[in-house]
Amino acid sequence: DHKASEADFREDLMKIARTTLSSKLLTHEKDHFAKLAVDAVLRLKGNSNLDYIQVIKKSGATLRDSYLEDGFILEKKIGVGMPKRLEKCKVMVANTPMDTDKIKIYGARVQVDSFEAVQAIEKAEQEKMKAKVDKICAHGCNVFINRQLIYNYPDQCFKEHGVMAIEHSDFDGMERLAAVLGSDIVSTFDNPGATKLGSCELIEEIMIGEDKVIRFAGCAKNEACTIVLRGASK
């Protein structure tokens, strides 16, 4: 038992990682990948929640170029017209429809007798969506990340409020992101006092290989990290 000695404990973990990574593909890079794995686990500081360690794959470069990124990486882009870098972030993570409300009963139709009536319906839909965006922004967030699509009109409303909006995040990524930011996943917005927002020091759009991704640094659960695997193919 080498828990009392940090150096010896780390060496024990390195030996375990080298044994686990016994593969022909990693013959020449075994120590490099063992170090990535051990550094990621040690960041947890005894926490057993491995969701804080994310692994993503990006084609290009060599295996040796794989690295450990402090913080969380979301494989999405920041929307057009939004700031590409934001500090001191208060983040709402949500799973809610942000499209124009539609009649979702198969075969149902609305009959109108003039263009003015169509415009009145569209205006009512926009007002309803604007009220929803106002409710979201009343929570005090400056970043809104949604599991579902964010259509043009609500996206414009978020810009007017000075809120960065990120859409269509995958569900697994959402759950992990909520965990590392220390936030709830919200679907109703009537009670700001009962909603827990996440936080991080910095959100920015970066390039990995040929892809744009979003990096979250200084997360509330600072044990979070991302192992970025590089190589000729996925």
Side-chain angles (χ1 to χ4, degrees):
D1 186 354
H2 289 147
K3 288 184 180 180
S5 170
E6 184 176 332
D8 290 340
F9 182 60
R10 180 183 176 84
E11 184 55 34
D12 286 346
L13 292 178
M14 286 290 291
K15 289 177 181 177
I16 294 170
R18 289 189 193 102
T19 302
T20 305
L21 293 169
S22 294
S23 165
K24 291 181 180 179
L25 291 174
L26 301 177
T27 300
H28 301 294
E29 306 296 349
K30 188 181 295 185
D31 283 346
H32 178 65
F33 281 91
K35 183 177 183 300
L36 291 182
V38 170
D39 287 347
V41 169
L42 289 177
R43 278 186 64 89
L44 296 179
K45 300 175 183 176
N47 191 327
S48 61
N49 189 353
L50 295 181
D51 282 343
Y52 292 166
I53 302 174
Q54 184 188 26
V55 179
I56 64 173
K57 303 173 185 178
K58 289 295 176 185
S59 300
T62 65
L63 289 173
R64 184 73 184 179
D65 293 310
S66 301
Y67 65 96
L68 183 69
E69 177 73 57
D70 293 343
F72 185 89
I73 290 178
L74 187 66
E75 296 186 80
K76 298 300 294 183
K77 299 177 183 178
I78 295 174
V80 176
M82 299 286 179
K84 303 302 182 185
R85 179 185 172 92
L86 191 64
E87 298 180 355
K88 305 296 181 184
C89 304
K90 294 181 180 179
V91 186
M92 176 181 284
V93 181
N95 184 11
T96 186
M98 296 300 295
D99 55 344
T100 304
D101 289 339
K102 300 179 181 67
I103 296 173
K104 295 183 170 69
I105 302 173
Y106 181 75
R109 289 185 291 180
V110 176
Q111 291 185 338
V112 295
D113 55 9
S114 67
F115 286 112
E116 288 77 11
V118 174
Q119 290 175 347
I121 292 172
E122 290 177 344
K123 184 177 180 181
E125 289 177 335
Q126 286 190 341
E127 288 176 351
K128 187 174 181 180
M129 183 54 66
K130 185 177 187 305
K132 187 173 186 177
V133 173
D134 291 343
K135 279 185 179 181
I136 291 170
C137 296
H139 287 69
C141 61
N142 57 3
V143 180
F144 177 73
I145 302 174
N146 194 32
R147 168 70 180 83
Q148 302 180 46
L149 290 171
I150 301 174
Y151 279 50
N152 290 341
Y153 182 69
D155 188 63
Q156 176 187 331
C157 293
F158 280 120
K159 290 175 186 176
E160 292 171 357
H161 281 279
V163 173
M164 177 193 288
I166 301 168
E167 67 172 1
H168 212 201
S169 172
D170 67 277
F171 189 73
D172 289 341
M174 286 284 287
E175 288 198 321
R176 186 177 285 116
L177 181 60
V180 302
L181 293 175
S183 72
D184 297 328
I185 297 179
V186 189
S187 57
T188 59
F189 311 99
D190 295 321
N191 192 356
T195 301
K196 187 178 181 183
L197 299 179
S199 64
C200 64
E201 292 298 318
L202 173 67
I203 295 176
E204 62 179 346
E205 190 175 83
I206 62 173
M207 293 285 293
I208 299 180
E210 298 180 355
D211 298 328
K212 291 181 180 180
V213 296
I214 303 172
R215 174 175 174 262
F216 297 76
C219 300
K221 305 293 185 181
N222 204 34
E223 301 93 345
C225 61
T226 301
I227 297 174
V228 182
L229 299 178
R230 306 301 309 278
S233 67
K234 290 187 178 181

